[in-house]
Amino acid sequence: MKNLNRLESGGRIDRSKSLSFSFNGKLYYGYEGDTLASAMLANGLHVIARSFKYHRPRGIIGSGVEDPTSLIELLGEEASGNNLCTNVKLKEGLKAKSINCWPSVDFDVGAVVQYFAKFIPAGFYYKTFKWPTWHLFEPFIRIAAGLASAPKEPPKKGHFESRNAHTDFLIIGAGPAGLLATLMAARSGAKVFLVDQNTEAGGSLLSLNLNINQKPAMAWVESTLKEIANMSNVTHLQNSTAWAYREHNLVIVNEREVENVSIIERSWRVRAKNIIIATGAIERSLVFPNNDRPGVMLASAVLTFVNRYSVKPSDNMVLFTNNDSVYSYIEDLKTAGINVLAIVDSRKHIASTVLANAQNVRVILNSIIRNVNGYKKVNSVVVQSLVDKELETISCDLLAHSGGWNPMVHLHSQSRGTVKFNDRIASFVPDQSIQNSISIGACNGTFTLNEIFNETKSLLCGVSAHSKPLVYEGKLECSKQSYSIEALWSIDLSKEKNKAFFDIQNDVTHDDIQLALTEGYSNIEHVKRYTTGGMGFDQGKTGNVNIIGMVAKEQGIGLDDVGTTTFRSPFVPVSFGSISGVREGSVVLPFRHTPITKWNLENGAFMYEAGARWRRPGYFPIEGESFQETVNRECHAVRTSVGVYDGSPLGKFELKGENVGEFLDLIYTNIISSLEPGNGRYGLMLTDDGLIFDDGVAFRIDKHRWFISTSSGHSDAVYQHMLKILAFDHPEWDVKITNITNQWNNATICGPLARKLLKKLGTDIDCDNGSFPFMTFREGHIADIPARIIRVSFTGELSFEINVSPRNMLALWERIIEDGAEFGILPVGSEASHVLRVEKGFLSLGHEVDGTVDPYDLGMAWLMSKKKIDYIGKRSVHLRRSLGRSRRELVGLLPNNPNDAIPEGAPITPDGKKVATEGFTTACVWSVVNERWVGLALLENGHIRHGEEACVRMKDKIIRAKITKPVFHDSDGILLRS
Amino acid sequence: MLLIHCPFCKNRNETEFVYGGPVGANRPDPNLVSDEEWVDYLTMVPNPMGPVYERWWHARGCDKWFIICRDTVTHEILENPSEEP
Ligand SMILES: [Zn+2]
């Protein structure tokens, strides 16, 4: 297949491998080695996208990550959102479409928007958020600001993965500097990790025809690659972008072409002793009217397309520059058959050696481009002399421009290194390194090959991360190059009607910057936020320094005084898949299971996540039953016969040592140390600011051995709390804590028939109330399984918590269900448990305990020891209460209409008026023993308001309820002690 | 991501640790201090730009609590706990 704009020979494409691709539904052909951008240009496509705000037609401007405009959406197997077509490697069958344009890139209704542009000036978002109302504009903004759609389905062809790597040297960039650094480091025997974001190594040498040691520079690149390919201490990755430089020399690398085809992308977390940043420089735009028209390109990109991809994007072109670099391109452009009509140079003088490169080309010094004509493609440019302001129009089909070079200081800056302005190259260069990194080559402001090699040798000389320091022996003689520049941040644009863009991606114009400054946003960070200049996917790679220069010029200060905005990761857009790796779906936060999850599922449980990722049965519905009927049935079993629930997720800890008693007395509000072996106590833990942290039970096994339980969802926090106190406040204490949450499972049988069931199961423990009373535990066997049985009660009924090792849990559970059948036993889910607890007024973390209550508030002041001199939280509770402020206190609520349910969290206000709340409902359930709705609430001064009426304020009504004691069943606790 | 030196496990990634806040004053005897001193102890924690002693817990590791000195600007870890066998 023949491409319209493809040269007959040359370039780094493989003409024997033709690849078909589609763009906006039309079929085209390119070659192996192309990017989507080079293939598009080869096919004569020049309008690729529509701009973000004004929907102006846009073409390809750059040739790599710096391109600010050519964002496309990939479809089909490769589906992914916003990709720069300059970054997409061409593959057979690739499907791409434009974004941000409707109905098509050539006829875009949104382009009408540009005529309303004056209504969306800089600071539009700031102002709109303030007045008149954001909601008025939101629908319009959402449509107009849309980027690509996210793929609707997960990728079909494979998965993402992450890897860790540790290395002596991480070298970022495989241009001349990075390759020489790699050679030096690799030859010293050090471990080297070389990454480069391009499809192939070589950096600028891929585009520039230079010589090293009298041979083409790419021959040196190839021999270098060959040498390192055979070294086992070198890992070399292409198509791999270092996009984040984090603390302690950790760099995140996104590898996009993995040798294993089932891996879509791989994320590397590389921890390196030394980091060599050799990321090169990016060409800067010039700012002049209509500098965004399709056919206005960066000069370096034109050269890259010609030399590397063998594309001829123009027949007749004009160059506009303020520096020397374009002069060295002339010979290559001419060789490709491009007619270079003129070089427009804003400088008064240039060196004769530079001028010598432009023989037979018209060089127009001391002049600028005043305007560009052509809407969808350049057809002429207007040149203006800076001396007499005379205008001249030159017909052409392409304008290539160069505003100088910006060293890519992004990674250096992300590592918290500082930058400084360098007058010689009119840009920012690295100053101080904070972490162990060195910037070399163009990213350090060094632009000619000879200097790059000399700098690399001298900066790395003596650096050592391994046995041998780095040296380079051997000569590297290179083609002569020179570079000089005179900064031109913007041409004079006073009274200019046409738009001149500083940030092409975000459509930020000269006027926007002016407006920001006029309105007082003069700090560069404010200019950025007010105008959005330098934001978005390109992060202002081609435009930012011009904005800084312009702000400096307008304020009459130096660029160093203006400074740069913060460089943030990612350096280039990175897919979410790459960041998450295999951590998707259930793998992100795996559920915790108990040994009977399978039984639960087989027996129709509706499973919930219940705190700390425990997957527990919510309820066990049977066919034809409503949710409430199921819950009532389960509650009824516990209150009238017997139920069983899986209490395994309860946090459980064993404590051993001479000082455990003192320790427990410090962390619980009541005295625990006086317990006799075999006995336990319910206790509250507070934080030292006097608020309830957790509740649970503590039991003594023998003199120096105890176990405690905590709330299921809170066991990790309690564990942390306990270890922290021991580590820092009482390192002298002998207390060892073992987390036994997963070592002990339990099935808790509860209900008036629980003891009968226990006897039927068969046990060697005397389980009569007299010999095995409430709040004691016994060890023995049950159904021939070794068990520790604890008499606690979470439901208010007679309960036996049968603790066994996990391997025996299922067997125990199945025996209980089997033997309990004659008593009408039911498995009880967390819904019924909640109802049973609320009926008893037992507190629940996250309901009644929300981090604001103390024991007095919950009517549990009796648990606060008066004998103990100190325990955690004591001082603060007393201090707070001594202030005498009113508190929200726990009460019961009985809705006047017994069939009125109060939603959890519903606010209570005085008289139900629209005034500040005086409390809220913490729980409300249908009570099976009372056959009505009952609730709990935290209510201001609630303890002295029993008998009064509370008003729950709902959106459409007020629910009135009687305030009562917070207990609705067996208020004297006779049943649980029976 | 910080590389944190656990006295037991040596250098491990920050994701394995839980931050325990900067090291403030030692917990005073609550019966020997004034209300103001008690409130200060609870609420006045160091928050400097620069070196600060802070607590870390090797939660997804050996369970050890320990103290390091870290520069909050550069993230450089200036002092590590001594290693334990
Ligand atoms: Zn550790």
Side-chain angles (χ1 to χ4, degrees), chain B residues 15-66:
Chain B
T15 44
E16 293 183 5
F17 296 85
V18 168
Y19 178 60
V23 179
N26 288 335
R27 186 175 187 269
D29 182 337
N31 298 301
L32 296 178
V33 290
S34 68
D35 289 349
E36 286 71 25
E37 285 168 321
W38 179 250
V39 171
D40 269 3
Y41 156 69
L42 289 174
T43 57
M44 301 299 280
V45 289
N47 185 25
M49 262 180 86
V52 63
Y53 285 93
E54 57 191 20
R55 293 169 171 148
W56 289 84
W57 180 36
H58 200 182
R60 292 163 196 89
C62 66
D63 269 349
K64 184 84 187 165
W65 272 103
F66 56 91

Side-chain angles (χ1 to χ4, degrees), chain B residues 63-79:
Chain B
D63 269 349
K64 184 84 187 165
W65 272 103
F66 56 91
I67 294 172
I68 62 173
C69 179
R70 181 178 63 103
D71 189 312
T72 57
V73 178
T74 64
H75 294 295
E76 191 184 348
I77 294 176
L78 306 161
E79 273 179 56

Side-chain angles (χ1 to χ4, degrees), chain A residues 246-248 250 269 271 416 434 666 688-689 716 719-720 723-724 727-729 869-873 875-876 879, chain B residues 1-3 13 18 20 27 30-31 33-35 38-39 41-42 55 57 63 65-67 73-77:
Chain A
R246 300 262 199 259
E247 303 85 10
H248 299 173
L250 179 78
R269 294 183 286 254
R271 191 79 80 164
R416 303 204 153 214
I434 297 296
L666 178 67
D688 227 350
D689 46 10
D716 294 343
Y719 187 40
Q720 174 181 352
L723 289 180
K724 198 175 181 186
F728 300 121
D729 295 340
I869 296 167
D870 181 26
Y871 56 83
I872 288 178
R875 175 77 193 257
S876 294
L879 180 58
Chain B
M1 183 164 30
L2 304 176
L3 195 62
N13 275 337
V18 168
R27 186 175 187 269
N31 298 301
V33 290
S34 68
D35 289 349
W38 179 250
V39 171
Y41 156 69
L42 289 174
R55 293 169 171 148
W57 180 36
D63 269 349
W65 272 103
F66 56 91
I67 294 172
V73 178
T74 64
H75 294 295
E76 191 184 348
I77 294 176

Side-chain angles (χ1 to χ4, degrees), chain A residues 288-289 344 362 364-373 380-395 491-496 498:
Chain A
F288 50 91
V344 179
R362 185 180 164 207
I364 314 174
L365 291 177
N366 212 359
S367 296
I368 53 165
I369 296 292
R370 181 75 238 179
N371 200 1
V372 176
N373 297 317
S380 66
V381 295
V382 181
V383 180
Q384 184 176 38
S385 159
L386 289 172
V387 186
D388 54 17
K389 311 288 173 198
E390 282 293 307
L391 301 174
E392 179 192 348
T393 300
I394 303 176
S395 292
I491 70 160
D492 179 9
L493 289 161
S494 39
K495 292 181 195 147
E496 176 61 48
N498 291 301

